[in-house]
Amino acid sequence: MRHWQSFKIISPEELQTMLQQQPALLLIDTLPAEHFNAIHLPGAVNACVYDMTFVNQINTLCRDSGAAIVLYGSSSNSLDSRTAAEKLIADGYSNISVLEGGIDHWRQSGLPLEGDTETAASLTDQYLLEDGSYKVSVPESRIFWIGRNPNSSHYGTVLFSGGNFTLHGSSIQGSLLVDMESIENINLKGDELEQVLITHLKSDDFFYVDVYPGARFDIPSGRLNNQAFPTVPNCELSGMLDLRGRQNHLNIEATVVQGGDGKLHLSSHFELDRTLWGIIYGSGKYYEHLGMHTVFDHISIELLVIAEKS
């Protein structure tokens, strides 16, 4: 049940007056602890709304369901404090107010803050990617695959043999090299059918590894969107995939972030139509009366690429 109309919206000036007139007012910063420690409103205490224990934390801070509580979050673009208010009202609290515009509005109103504004500015949700050349870390990177038929599915991994990326502004170029000899199955691990499946995948029915031991994805024109939300892809990779001796254009969306160690982390999830690369075993587009040999055309692919600056 939603409780959008069950709490008051107050301005920074109204909150300032309330703090002066009501010494017992409980002011709650609903953001994560690292943000609170960097910067917060004077007199505020922290209870992060993203924590599963948020309501329990408030219960510990205040057992009086009628006590005056004011919640604030980040800005008018975030639902943090409103979500917190809904949770508390659902738990029985009745005197809840929310600071309009959060800490951003308070700051814009010229009202005092405690903490380090420079440190707080570094806690951005925007993608911050450093220009330069990066080399794929083979031990840390891999491809996860899932193949399916009408009755079951199999999944496993394939390893990279190398690769590189170059970032410059909003562009990303590079290549990924795949070791097709490294195909492994996970779901049949230890079963006698495990090796049967691997042998079949490496045969000319599928990836013909004896003749085509590697695959390559060349990316001459990738685009980065550094303003993307942190939970959606911020990168489009456009290039040519050379697989089983055939080349076809491939466009995929990916998420690229940079860790504190400077390494680039690229991840992507997509469906690959294997038949475009001549892998047609079990495909109803090419064969009839397949029965138990039917294999769906699409393979689910998850890329996890870690690259170090070179």
Side-chain angles (χ1 to χ4, degrees), residues 132-209:
S133 298
Y134 296 82
K135 181 180 179 181
V136 171
S137 174
V138 172
E140 298 178 277
S141 307
R142 66 195 63 245
I143 300 169
F144 299 90
W145 58 264
I146 304 175
R148 301 177 177 86
N149 61 43
N151 300 309
S152 64
S153 63
H154 297 297
Y155 56 91
T157 60
V158 187
L159 302 180
F160 291 98
S161 58
N164 62 82
F165 291 104
T166 300
L167 272 63
H168 182 71
S170 61
S171 69
I172 177 172
Q173 291 85 35
S175 62
L176 293 172
L177 309 179
V178 183
D179 176 15
M180 298 306 296
E181 289 276 6
S182 69
I183 296 175
E184 288 191 359
N185 169 259
I186 294 175
N187 66 289
L188 293 176
K189 187 68 68 177
D191 191 288
E192 60 182 12
L193 293 177
E194 176 190 1
Q195 192 54 50
V196 173
L197 175 61
I198 294 300
T199 299
H200 197 193
L201 291 176
K202 291 184 176 183
S203 75
D204 60 348
D205 279 341
F206 285 95
F207 297 104
Y208 209 175
V209 172

Side-chain angles (χ1 to χ4, degrees), residues 26-44:
L26 183 58
L27 179 61
I28 305 292
D29 182 307
T30 64
L31 299 172
E34 61 268 23
H35 193 284
F36 174 80
N37 292 334
I39 194 165
H40 56 266
L41 271 64

Side-chain angles (χ1 to χ4, degrees), residues 9-21:
I9 304 295
I10 61 174
S11 69
E13 293 74 20
E14 288 175 312
L15 174 56
Q16 187 180 42
T17 299
M18 291 172 67
L19 290 170
Q20 294 170 349
Q21 296 178 350

Side-chain angles (χ1 to χ4, degrees), residues 85-266:
E86 291 180 333
K87 288 178 179 290
L88 295 186
I89 290 168
D91 194 55
Y93 289 88
S94 59
N95 190 4
I96 303 294
S97 299
V98 167
L99 174 61
E100 180 184 17
I103 197 169
D104 274 6
H105 195 184
W106 180 271
R107 182 192 290 112
Q108 291 164 9
S109 299
L111 296 170
L113 288 164
E114 294 180 347
D116 182 354
T117 55
E118 290 187 7
T119 300
S122 69
L123 300 174
T124 176
D125 285 336
Q126 299 295 330
Y127 291 107
L128 300 176
L129 302 174
E130 186 177 347
D131 286 356
S133 298
Y134 296 82
K135 181 180 179 181
V136 171
S137 174
V138 172
E140 298 178 277
S141 307
R142 66 195 63 245
I143 300 169
F144 299 90
W145 58 264
I146 304 175
R148 301 177 177 86
N149 61 43
N151 300 309
S152 64
S153 63
H154 297 297
Y155 56 91
T157 60
V158 187
L159 302 180
F160 291 98
S161 58
N164 62 82
F165 291 104
T166 300
L167 272 63
H168 182 71
S170 61
S171 69
I172 177 172
Q173 291 85 35
S175 62
L176 293 172
L177 309 179
V178 183
D179 176 15
M180 298 306 296
E181 289 276 6
S182 69
I183 296 175
E184 288 191 359
N185 169 259
I186 294 175
N187 66 289
L188 293 176
K189 187 68 68 177
D191 191 288
E192 60 182 12
L193 293 177
E194 176 190 1
Q195 192 54 50
V196 173
L197 175 61
I198 294 300
T199 299
H200 197 193
L201 291 176
K202 291 184 176 183
S203 75
D204 60 348
D205 279 341
F206 285 95
F207 297 104
Y208 209 175
V209 172
D210 284 346
V211 177
Y212 306 105
R216 183 183 182 105
F217 182 32
D218 287 315
I219 309 157
S221 56
R223 294 188 302 108
L224 293 165
N225 177 8
N226 294 325
Q227 301 301 313
F229 291 114
T231 50
V232 298
N234 66 328
C235 177
E236 182 178 313
L237 301 178
S238 180
M240 194 68 66
L241 175 61
D242 188 329
L243 175 65
R244 203 182 187 272
R246 290 197 184 185
Q247 293 186 342
N248 273 298
H249 199 79
L250 180 65
N251 274 338
I252 62 174
E253 290 187 327
T255 299
V256 182
V257 299
Q258 198 150 23
D261 56 4
K263 292 182 180 180
L264 214 62
H265 295 242
L266 183 149

